[in-house]
Amino acid sequence: MQEGIPQKMDSLDRVVKPKTKRAKRFLENRAPKLTENTKNAMFIKGGNASSTVTDALKDIYALKKPFAVLYKKKNVTRPFEDQTSLEFFSKKSDCSLFLFGSHNKKRPNNLVIGRMYDYHVLDMVELGIEKFVRLRDLKNSKCPEGTKPMLIFAGDAFDLSENHRRLKSLLIDFFRGPTVPSVRLAGLEHVLHFTAVDEKIYMRSYKVLLKKSGCKIPRIELEDMGPSLDLVIRRTHLASDDLYKLSLKQPKALKPKKKKNISHDAFGTKYGRIHMQKQDLDKLQTRKMKGLKKRPAEMKTGNEHSPKKAKLG
C-alpha cells in the first residue's frame, strides 16, 4: 500500500463547502440521487504486471470508455489481503467498479474484477488469463467509442453455481453501460458473449453487420472484433446475503405505487376493473327504428293491465 493514503482518506471524509460554482456542480454530481449516474470503472495495474495483463487492461478499457478511468502508474497492493487502496481510489475517482491486473509466479496473468458499495468492496472475483487475443491483432473494423453492448451468457453454470451467478451479475454491472429509453436498430453494433464451461469463462467480442436480405428485416452476421479471453476462476470474495440484499435496496420514491383494480397478464397487457351501479335496462335508450317498435299483440297486453277510462255521454 502506498504511503500517505490514510491521511488522504481522512481529508476526503470531511464535509467540504464549495467556494465556486464549478465545485458546487462537482459535489452535486457526486451526491446521492434517486436515479444514480452511470457506473464508472477504474483500471489499476499492480506492482508487477506482464505485457498480457497490461494489454488486457487497455483493451477492456477501450470497450468501457468513456465511463472508465485508467491508472497508468503501478500500485503495489493485494486486493484479497487489503482493500484500503482500492477503496481510496474508488472515492477519489468516484468509481464503483474496478479491474485490477497483476502477475506473479503463483498466479500468472491475473485479473481481479469487482464492484463497490458505499466505497467499500462488495464482490470480487479473481480470473486467470489462459489465452488472449488483442484488439489490434484482428484487423477488422471496430465499434465506435461509447457503444452500448448486447450481453449474451451461455452455459448452465451461470444458473447452477452461486459463484457463477454472482460473476454473471458482476459482468452485467460492469459492461451494461448507460440506461437508454429507446433502442435504434442501427445502434445494435456490439455483442459481448460469455460462455461458462466448468471453471472456465470464455469472453468473445463481436461486431454486428447488418446486410441486405430482400425484406425489411436485415440479415445479421457477427464479425470477431476482439478482444478474446479464455479465463479461469481462481478466488472469490462475495458479500454476505444480508449485505447483498442491502445493496439492491431501492428508495421508496422509485418503487411503483400500487393501483387498485389494475392487473397485467403474462404478455404485459394492462387490464382494469371498473365497478358500476346496476343498470335499469327498461330505461335504456335505443335507436328509434321500425324493427324495435312494439308489435300490436304486445300493445294489447300492455293495455289490459292499464286502467280504462269511462266515456261520458
Side-chain angles (χ1 to χ4, degrees):
M1 191 179 110
Q2 295 177 352
E3 296 180 358
I5 286 179
Q7 289 79 7
K8 291 183 180 180
M9 291 185 70
D10 293 339
S11 64
L12 287 172
D13 292 334
R14 293 200 308 265
V15 177
V16 181
K17 292 184 179 180
K19 296 182 180 179
T20 61
K21 290 184 177 180
R22 182 179 179 183
K24 186 179 179 181
R25 289 195 300 268
F26 176 79
L27 292 177
E28 286 177 352
N29 188 44
R30 287 198 172 193
K33 306 176 184 64
L34 286 176
T35 305
E36 291 292 341
N37 303 332
T38 303
K39 292 184 178 181
N40 295 328
M42 55 183 181
F43 295 79
I44 302 173
K45 188 164 51 174
N48 186 20
S50 62
S51 59
T52 302
V53 170
T54 304
D55 291 340
L57 289 174
K58 288 181 180 179
D59 286 358
I60 299 175
Y61 168 72
L63 299 180
K64 184 65 180 171
K65 285 195 302 186
F67 305 103
V69 177
L70 178 64
Y71 287 95
K72 296 182 180 179
K73 292 184 179 180
K74 294 182 179 181
N75 181 47
V76 182
T77 184
R78 294 178 178 86
F80 281 85
E81 281 88 23
D82 184 15
Q83 295 116 22
T84 310
S85 182
L86 290 175
E87 292 171 357
F88 166 74
F89 285 120
S90 172
K91 205 164 194 177
K92 180 182 177 182
S93 57
D94 193 25
C95 294
S96 56
L97 303 166
F98 68 88
L99 186 65
F100 178 84
S102 61
H103 175 77
N104 53 47
K105 187 176 181 180
K106 188 177 181 181
R107 295 183 179 87
N109 301 326
N110 203 44
L111 291 177
V112 179
I113 185 172
R115 54 186 166 187
M116 303 282 185
Y117 172 66
D118 195 20
Y119 300 113
H120 296 287
V121 174
L122 183 69
D123 291 331
M124 280 192 304
V125 179
E126 189 177 63
L127 303 169
I129 302 175
E130 292 189 341
K131 185 180 178 182
F132 175 52
V133 179
R134 296 168 178 81
L135 197 63
R136 64 172 182 266
D137 292 342
L138 300 173
K139 303 303 179 183
N140 302 329
S141 58
K142 314 299 181 185
C143 293
E145 179 183 321
T147 303
K148 185 178 174 68
M150 295 176 284
L151 304 178
I152 301 175
F153 292 88
D156 296 335
F158 282 125
D159 300 321
L160 300 177
S161 171
E162 179 62 26
N163 289 342
H164 284 79
R165 273 200 299 266
R166 198 68 68 87
L167 177 60
K168 178 182 177 180
S169 172
L170 180 56
L171 291 171
I172 292 174
D173 221 9
F174 197 91
F175 288 106
R176 68 178 179 178
T179 304
V180 293
S182 58
V183 179
R184 186 170 62 98
L185 180 60
L188 301 175
E189 300 180 71
H190 189 202
V191 172
L192 283 176
H193 193 281
F194 299 93
T195 306
V197 179
D198 297 329
E199 291 298 314
K200 293 186 179 181
I201 307 294
Y202 299 94
M203 174 184 169
R204 298 293 182 266
S205 179
Y206 301 103
K207 184 177 181 181
V208 179
L209 302 178
L210 303 178
K211 297 192 174 182
K212 294 181 179 179
S213 62
C215 59
K216 290 184 179 180
I217 301 175
R219 181 169 57 88
I220 297 173
E221 290 186 3
L222 298 179
E223 185 179 56
D224 197 357
M225 184 186 73
S228 298
L229 293 99
D230 293 356
L231 306 168
V232 59
I233 299 177
R234 288 175 176 167
R235 289 185 294 176
T236 59
H237 172 83
L238 304 179
S240 61
D241 294 338
D242 296 336
L243 182 59
Y244 188 68
K245 288 180 181 178
L246 181 64
S247 67
L248 297 175
K249 190 176 181 180
Q250 291 184 345
K252 291 183 179 179
L254 285 180
K255 293 181 180 178
K257 294 182 179 179
K258 293 183 179 179
K259 296 182 180 180
K260 293 182 178 179
N261 303 320
I262 290 180
S263 60
H264 297 79
D265 62 4
F267 301 100
T269 308
K270 188 176 181 180
Y271 294 98
R273 181 179 294 177
I274 301 174
H275 296 277
M276 298 178 63
Q277 295 180 354
K278 188 175 180 181
Q279 191 174 8
D280 188 0
L281 300 179
D282 295 334
K283 298 179 180 180
L284 184 67
Q285 180 65 39
T286 57
R287 288 185 61 186
K288 294 181 179 180
M289 55 181 293
K290 293 181 179 180
L292 296 176
K293 285 185 178 181
K294 289 186 178 181
R295 297 177 181 178
E298 293 176 354
M299 293 176 67
K300 287 180 181 179
T301 56
N303 293 334
E304 289 177 0
H305 297 287
S306 59
K308 294 182 179 180
K309 294 183 180 180
K311 291 183 179 180
L312 299 174

